Amino acid sequence: MKRLLPIALLLAACAPAVRPQPVQVWEGSARVLLTVQQYRLTFTVNPVNYALSGTLANLSSGDRFEATGTLLPGADAAELSVQITPGNVPRLNAGILGFGISGVALKSDAFLSGQVRGELFDGSLRVNGIRYPLTLRRVQ
């Protein structure tokens, strides 16, 4: 048992150190239907597999959504592809005379995609099949 302790210490010393992932915060706006909406995208990226996880907040309405996807590095720009989901939101259950709907989420899923060049994200937010141009600037 005493012989195994130095070997275990050597193996532990060779293991890569876990580095905290820096949090990135991006803010900007998009014209959705007839109004301008302010957004904040907060996320971390795993440097090994480029997996992104975080939240997208609609600052205009106060809604918050889960964000998962990738931020793939490129020669000129990084490609951001993120699925936006409302998470656990209230669901609509309604019926009249036996006909109705049940389990319909009150908030829609969305897809955020575009390119990151330096401190600027230029892309689109697709909600219910409609694309809205979105520009975000890095604030942290």
Side-chain angles (χ1 to χ4, degrees), residues 7-23:
I7 294 172
L9 290 174
L10 285 174
L11 290 175
C14 295
V18 176
R19 287 185 242 151
Q21 300 168 3
V23 175

Side-chain angles (χ1 to χ4, degrees), residues 21-105:
Q21 300 168 3
V23 175
Q24 297 187 37
V25 180
W26 298 72
E27 291 183 351
S29 61
R31 180 173 294 280
V32 178
L33 298 177
L34 299 175
T35 62
V36 174
Q37 301 288 312
Q38 299 295 321
Y39 291 97
R40 176 181 296 137
L41 179 63
T42 306
F43 63 88
T44 60
V45 177
N46 183 326
V48 175
N49 62 4
Y50 308 110
L52 177 148
S53 63
T55 60
L56 177 70
N58 182 330
L59 302 176
S60 301
S61 68
D63 293 329
R64 194 176 200 94
F65 302 89
E66 297 173 7
T68 56
T70 57
L71 181 61
L72 300 174
D76 295 336
E79 285 290 325
L80 182 109
S81 299
V82 179
Q83 183 67 40
I84 307 295
T85 57
N88 294 329
V89 296
R91 301 204 175 264
L92 177 64
N93 295 308
I96 297 176
L97 301 173
F99 297 99
I101 55 174
S102 68
V104 176

